[in-house]
């Protein structure tokens, strides 16, 4: 497939396309026009065309998009047609919640192990995944070809663990700890902060209320 340079903004939108296309396939829909996809996704048809034409050769005049093909191609672009081995550092509430979510495996993210410092947790098994002591971290990463580490530990401990992960060869950190990590250029960090998402929601709901109040005053 010919692939033009894809902007960060498009990459950010691809997982949502992937999710909708997956749902269409589950519903038995094999082809869809940009107009229909636009109605479902509440994105303009021109935005869809602009985004998806970046990859070249998906849409066909008068036919629309081949859902299965597009789903597979977006999967390849997102790298989820491959298996990624993942570990979770911090087997507390959040770490265990992630481990208990079986759907990551359907996307190729295989949770290989969990690590903690709490002796009461070490040795427990969550959905078949054993919790190990952090002293085993480096060897486990090498032995299990681990690429991604989820950090669900207190922020004060995160920089030290991140350094160890990088030295052990980890190339991607899924960071839930509320701290910006300093890592080398060849390591990627994806920060996930639910509270930031909630603050954006708060902003939107407050703006809506303010707007309503303004209208009522007029
Ligand atoms: P928790 O206290 O239930 O779990 C933290 C676990 O980390 C504990 O089991 C603890 O023993 C372990 N731990 C501490 N130091 C460690 C180390 N050096 N190596 C390995 N394990 C270590 O806390 P919870 O609720 O699971 O939250 C975990 C982290 O995630 C916190 O930093 C919290 O602020 C953050 N968090 C972030 C969210 C987000 O949206 N980004 C949402 C919820 C929590």
């Amino acid at each position: 497939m010919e692939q033009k340079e894809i902007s960060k903004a498009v990459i950010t939108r691809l997982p949502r396309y992937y999710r909708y296309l997956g749902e269409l396939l589950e519903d038995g829909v094999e082809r869809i026009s940009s107009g229909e996809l636009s109605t479902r996704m509440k994105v303009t048809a021109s935005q869809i065309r602009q985004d998806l034409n970046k990859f070249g050769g998906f849409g066909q005049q008068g036919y629309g998009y081949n859902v299965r093909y597009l789903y597979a191609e977006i999967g390849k672009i997102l790298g989820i047609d491959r298996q990624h081995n993942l570990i979770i550092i911090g087997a507390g509430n959040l770490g265990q919640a992630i481990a208990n979510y079986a759907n990551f495996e359907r996307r190729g993210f295989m949770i290989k192990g969990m690590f903690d410092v709490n002796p009461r947790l070490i040795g427990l098994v969550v959905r078949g995944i054993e919790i190990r002591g952090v002293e085993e971290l480096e060897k486990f990463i090498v032995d299990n070809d681990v690429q991604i580490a989820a950090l669900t530990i207190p922020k004060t401990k995160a920089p030290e663990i991140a350094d160890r992960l990088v030295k052990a060869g980890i190339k991607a950190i899924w960071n839930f700890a509320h701290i910006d990590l300093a890592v080398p250029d060849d390591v990627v960090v994806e920060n996930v902060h639910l509270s930031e998402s909630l603050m954006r929601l708060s902003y939107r709901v407050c703006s809506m209320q303010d707007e309503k109040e303004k209208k009522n005053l007029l």
Side-chain angles (χ1 to χ4, degrees):
M1 178 193 56
E2 191 206 328
Q3 193 176 307
K4 297 175 195 161
E5 184 136 357
I6 306 168
S7 74
K8 227 175 157 182
V10 178
I11 298 286
T12 312
R13 289 194 285 271
L14 284 186
R16 189 155 178 262
Y17 285 118
Y18 190 76
R19 180 161 53 85
Y20 270 83
L21 291 165
E23 284 170 12
L24 286 170
L25 280 182
E26 278 168 22
D27 292 346
V29 179
E30 289 286 339
R31 73 186 218 197
I32 191 161
S33 66
S34 50
E36 281 169 66
L37 195 56
S38 147
T39 311
R40 280 202 180 224
M41 292 184 65
K42 297 189 173 65
V43 178
T44 64
S46 74
Q47 169 91 80
I48 290 178
R49 279 193 296 270
Q50 246 179 48
D51 283 350
L52 301 184
N53 290 348
K54 292 232 165 27
F55 318 126
F58 285 145
Q60 282 170 35
Q61 203 75 39
Y63 176 87
Y65 294 103
N66 178 325
V67 176
R68 192 172 297 281
Y69 177 73
L70 193 51
Y71 181 75
E73 291 302 317
I74 291 180
K76 276 188 218 162
I77 291 159
L78 293 173
I80 48 185
D81 58 326
R82 304 173 213 170
Q83 180 176 315
H84 296 285
N85 292 338
L86 188 150
I87 52 172
I88 299 169
I89 326 291
N93 292 310
L94 186 55
Q96 292 200 28
I98 292 173
N100 270 313
Y101 185 60
N103 261 5
F104 292 133
E105 274 130 45
R106 281 183 52 207
R107 300 270 183 259
F109 299 101
M110 314 308 284
I111 303 174
K112 292 284 179 180
M114 298 176 77
F115 295 84
D116 208 289
V117 285
N118 183 345
R120 276 184 295 175
L121 292 175
I122 294 167
L124 296 183
V125 176
V126 180
R127 209 173 53 84
I129 307 155
E130 190 185 338
I131 302 174
R132 298 162 195 270
V134 274
E135 62 285 355
E136 291 182 42
L137 197 56
E138 284 81 359
K139 187 173 181 322
F140 189 92
I141 288 171
V142 174
D143 290 351
N144 291 277
D145 189 24
V146 178
Q147 295 150 338
I148 303 176
L151 272 192
T152 51
I153 53 177
K155 68 176 184 183
T156 50
K157 312 285 178 196
E160 182 207 322
I161 291 288
D163 280 350
R164 281 179 61 181
L165 292 168
V166 169
K167 284 197 187 109
I170 286 286
K171 290 291 172 216
I173 299 177
W174 197 23
N175 179 35
F176 290 84
H178 297 294
I179 189 166
D180 292 328
L181 300 170
V183 293
D185 288 345
D186 64 343
V187 176
V188 288
V189 177
E190 176 74 22
N191 295 305
V192 185
H193 298 309
L194 299 182
S195 47
E196 289 180 11
S197 177
L198 261 183
M199 283 188 255
R200 283 191 289 273
L201 193 64
S202 153
Y203 167 78
R204 288 170 59 197
V205 76
C206 289
S207 314
M208 249 159 53
Q209 277 166 356
D210 291 350
E211 201 60 37
K212 220 171 164 186
E213 276 165 26
K214 247 195 255 163
K215 272 188 195 148
N216 288 342
L217 285 176
L218 288 176

